[in-house]
Amino acid sequence: MTSTSENRMYEALSALFRPYACSDSPGVVVGIAQHGERLYRKAFGMASLEHARALTTATRLRIGSVSKHFTCLAVLLLCEDGLLDADAGIGTYVPELSRAGGAPTLRQLMSHRGGQRCALDLALLTQGLAIPPRGATLAAQIRQRDENFRPGERMMYSNGGYHLLSLAIERASGMPFDAFLQARIFTPMGMHQTASIDSDMTVVPGIASFHLPDGNGGYLRGIFPSKEILGEGSIVSTVDDMLRWTAHMHGGKTIGTDATWAQMLEMPVFSSGQRSHYALGLKQTNYRGVELTHHSGGVIGGTSHMVFCATHGLDVVLLSNGALDAPIDLAHRIVDIVLADVLSGDGPPMPARASAHAARLGCYRSLESDAVYALEDRDGALTLDGWLCAGKPLPLYPIDGSPTNDVAIEAGSDGAFSVHWGTHNAPDDLDHLRIAHCGHAETFQRLAKPPLMTADLAAAVCGVYESHDANARATIEPDPADRNALMLRMQGSAGGCDYRLTPIAENVFGMAPIAPLGFIDGIVTLSHDPSQPMTTGFRIDTQRSRRVAFTRAVGSWD
């Protein structure tokens, strides 16, 4: 690379990050290296708005779910030691789980194919950002009497599964999770600013504050709602430590055998026969003709992203305390700049145009699982949206070679989704489509105009309900702010959260949090007994927890 091209690259990177160079907002720390040489290493924005302290390249930040591949490596190191078996059921090491809860193998949990509901998702659903006592995560996993799917069938992200892996690591090694990582990974690697910190209530020297937008132009302090964060997202680090680590992952190994690292990057296959893009805590995807290995992380008030391209020796680390909503998009722009000479195409992939599918826009409900998704036009792009997308529209991209112009999302954290028009026999049918998740397709039917809320419907639904699996009570009552909706007041073991229920179809409501600190959207489906005048119960489906059942409480039939 000539000095002229280096200068051009540096200027392009500086322009990319210039919007984050502010003294009145949180920021981002970036580290970029290629073939072991640092190309760009800078900090932008504030580490603490409260104390007017700027970010530096030495600032420690949470890396969130980027922690997960360290957890997987820890499991495999214990497999090397003969203390764990990656293909044994998690119940072998956590016998408190039910037979079904203990059935998924460690390998299935590491690739999010265990099928279990996510304890974190359930906690956010029932109590928002309230902080439960230690032991609550395991207790939530033990309580589950149902599952999202059979182990190995498909992928659905589960922080609870990674918490169970952490417990297996502790029990097999006889060491606390943080001490094991320190002894077996961080210290041998010289990652002296990296540690596993299990609570945001702990005072940690050199760590940035995390900032959550308050909806009014200001910020709230971001505190993760747990006192026992482990392998699901406990690590704090710096860009320098993480660049040292990414170079290790595609270079000569200090930690782990060749067989261990081959397992780390092996892509599993779902029961449909489709291959996953998610290995053991790491994703592998093709971007503009180059293979990227990567993972994002998110905490309350912060995000991160780690990516490397082994073929071209590129390492990128982004650590943010509230400035980035989608760090993977920024990472892709960095790849566009640094690898411009080897990338295919004229620019980043473009989503399908909504105008080309205008007749398909609308809400659709599965004829099999009752899931509801929407096809929407977002600034001209076709997106998959709805209450099961966690409030984040998913851009849909054309599928190369599809004769019917089918579309798909890029490999996401909950597995691959593709949308196929019409039915098998009638692809031109505008009232039906098929959505495949991890290769398992369901037929969806277009929903008519949503029904209106009526006094009779409200009377039949309102009341108090209880859920064993969610360990919560839910009170449904009229919404004082919207006569066309109901309010669901959820009360979990440590706190509560309020939701607005809006009719989408007969006996089906969309569920959206009312408070700005609510995080979980979902679908509420009513259940009835023909002999009873009132609803007997309902179930909640969220992005990562399905069929969570609530039944009407005794004494709530008046």
Side-chain angles (χ1 to χ4, degrees):
M1 183 180 295
T2 66
S3 58
T4 301
S5 59
E6 286 180 356
N7 290 338
R8 207 162 35 236
M9 178 189 300
Y10 190 91
E11 291 170 1
L13 291 170
S14 295
L16 181 65
F17 284 93
R18 195 167 293 128
Y20 304 103
C22 302
S23 60
D24 59 354
S25 64
V28 58
V29 186
V30 55
I32 307 170
Q34 191 171 24
H35 303 304
E37 298 292 328
R38 301 287 168 83
L39 297 182
Y40 199 83
R41 176 176 170 273
K42 283 185 173 293
F44 303 88
M46 305 302 289
S48 171
L49 291 174
E50 184 176 19
H51 299 291
R53 180 166 56 91
L55 284 166
T56 73
T57 52
T59 303
R60 304 168 82 189
L61 293 98
R62 280 205 178 274
I63 66 172
S65 286
V66 178
S67 305
K68 286 185 167 63
H69 76 282
F70 287 100
T71 306
C72 295
L73 179 58
V75 168
L76 296 185
L77 291 177
L78 287 168
C79 290
E80 291 179 12
D81 297 342
L83 296 174
L84 286 178
D85 178 356
D87 296 308
I90 185 63
T92 305
Y93 309 103
V94 188
E96 303 96 305
L97 296 166
S98 67
R99 178 178 296 181
T105 67
L106 276 62
R107 195 181 305 277
Q108 287 171 333
L109 293 180
M110 289 189 281
S111 54
H112 297 296
R113 296 177 298 130
Q116 297 176 321
R117 292 171 177 154
C118 175
L120 175 60
D121 190 82
L122 289 170
L124 292 172
L125 168 69
T126 58
Q127 55 206 30
L129 291 180
I131 301 177
R134 290 185 181 274
T137 306
L138 175 58
Q141 296 294 156
I142 292 172
R143 289 185 71 86
Q144 300 312 301
R145 297 187 294 197
D146 200 357
E147 58 192 2
N148 290 331
F149 54 83
R150 292 183 298 277
E153 178 184 287
R154 59 184 77 207
M155 171 185 174
M156 194 171 287
Y157 205 83
S158 176
N159 287 291
Y162 267 78
H163 192 83
L164 295 177
L165 290 168
S166 306
L167 298 182
I169 291 167
E170 291 188 330
R171 295 177 182 188
S173 68
M175 300 171 65
F177 180 76
D178 60 338
F180 184 86
L181 293 189
Q182 203 69 50
R184 297 292 296 271
I185 301 176
F186 302 150
T187 297
M189 280 298 304
M191 298 170 67
H192 301 303
Q193 298 303 313
T194 302
S196 173
I197 308 295
D198 66 1
S199 171
D200 280 343
M201 306 304 289
T202 303
V203 176
V204 180
I207 194 170
S209 299
F210 295 92
H211 301 80
L212 189 69
D214 65 2
N216 297 309
Y219 293 92
L220 300 170
R221 184 178 286 105
I223 297 177
F224 200 83
S226 176
K227 295 179 180 178
E228 51 180 357
I229 317 168
L230 295 175
E232 59 268 36
S234 62
I235 294 175
V236 301
S237 191
T238 63
V239 290
D240 288 344
D241 273 9
M242 289 303 296
L243 284 175
R244 183 177 294 112
W245 178 247
T246 54
H248 172 268
M249 282 199 286
H250 60 84
K253 299 296 188 291
T254 301
I255 312 295
T257 65
D258 290 343
T260 285
W261 283 98
Q263 291 181 73
M264 288 286 291
L265 298 174
E266 183 180 357
M267 298 299 168
V269 176
F270 304 119
S271 63
S272 66
Q274 185 179 90
R275 188 170 295 277
S276 176
H277 291 285
Y278 196 102
L280 302 187
L282 294 167
K283 296 180 187 178
Q284 286 190 299
T285 54
N286 185 289
Y287 177 74
R288 299 184 63 191
V290 299
E291 292 295 327
L292 301 180
T293 302
H294 58 101
H295 207 291
S296 290
V299 296
I300 305 301
T303 54
S304 65
H305 194 74
M306 173 201 77
V307 58
F308 66 83
C309 176
T311 304
H312 299 285
L314 176 64
D315 302 291
V316 177
V317 175
L318 294 167
L319 305 177
S320 173
N321 63 337
L324 301 179
D325 288 332
I328 188 173
D329 293 338
L330 186 59
H332 281 160
R333 300 297 78 76
I334 294 170
V335 174
D336 291 335
I337 292 170
V338 179
L339 299 183
D341 293 340
V342 299
L343 296 175
S344 62
D346 297 326
M350 298 299 293
R353 305 309 299 166
S355 58
H357 305 280
R360 305 280 189 181
L361 301 181
C363 281
Y364 296 81
R365 184 182 183 188
S366 170
L367 300 178
E368 300 163 45
S369 67
D370 290 330
V372 178
Y373 288 102
L375 291 177
E376 296 190 351
D377 180 340
R378 295 284 180 134
D379 299 322
L382 182 67
T383 64
L384 185 69
D385 204 346
W387 296 269
L388 298 180
C389 295
K392 298 176 181 178
L394 304 172
L396 290 162
Y397 295 83
I399 297 176
D400 291 339
S402 170
T404 53
N405 298 315
D406 295 339
V407 292
I409 69 166
E410 294 184 319
S413 59
D414 288 297
F417 284 85
S418 57
V419 180
H420 308 270
W421 307 125
T423 64
H424 283 290
N425 297 324
D428 294 328
D429 182 348
L430 296 178
D431 290 325
H432 294 85
L433 52 79
R434 288 157 291 138
I435 297 178
H437 176 225
C438 300
H440 297 278
E442 296 180 25
T443 299
F444 285 68
Q445 184 172 358
R446 184 188 294 274
L447 289 174
K449 186 177 178 180
L452 295 175
M453 178 63 65
T454 65
D456 288 344
L457 176 59
V461 175
C462 287
V464 180
Y465 301 80
E466 297 174 334
S467 171
H468 171 275
D469 287 18
N471 193 24
R473 278 173 79 89
T475 301
I476 298 180
E477 58 191 42
D479 186 342
D482 187 347
R483 65 180 183 180
N484 293 315
L486 296 172
M487 180 181 290
L488 187 155
R489 295 187 180 276
M490 189 78 73
Q491 186 63 44
S493 59
C497 199
D498 294 343
Y499 298 89
R500 177 162 288 120
L501 302 182
T502 306
I504 348 177
E506 185 178 0
N507 296 324
V508 183
F509 294 80
M511 184 187 78
I514 296 174
L517 296 184
F519 288 87
I520 301 296
D521 296 87
I523 297 170
V524 171
T525 304
L526 306 180
S527 53
H528 295 277
D529 179 340
S531 66
Q532 300 290 344
M534 292 186 290
T535 300
T536 56
F538 61 85
R539 80 162 196 253
I540 295 178
D541 293 285
T542 72
Q543 182 186 24
R544 295 172 179 170
S545 291
R546 304 297 170 91
R547 299 185 304 278
V548 182
F550 284 75
T551 57
R552 189 178 285 272
V554 175
S556 183
W557 292 95
D558 299 329

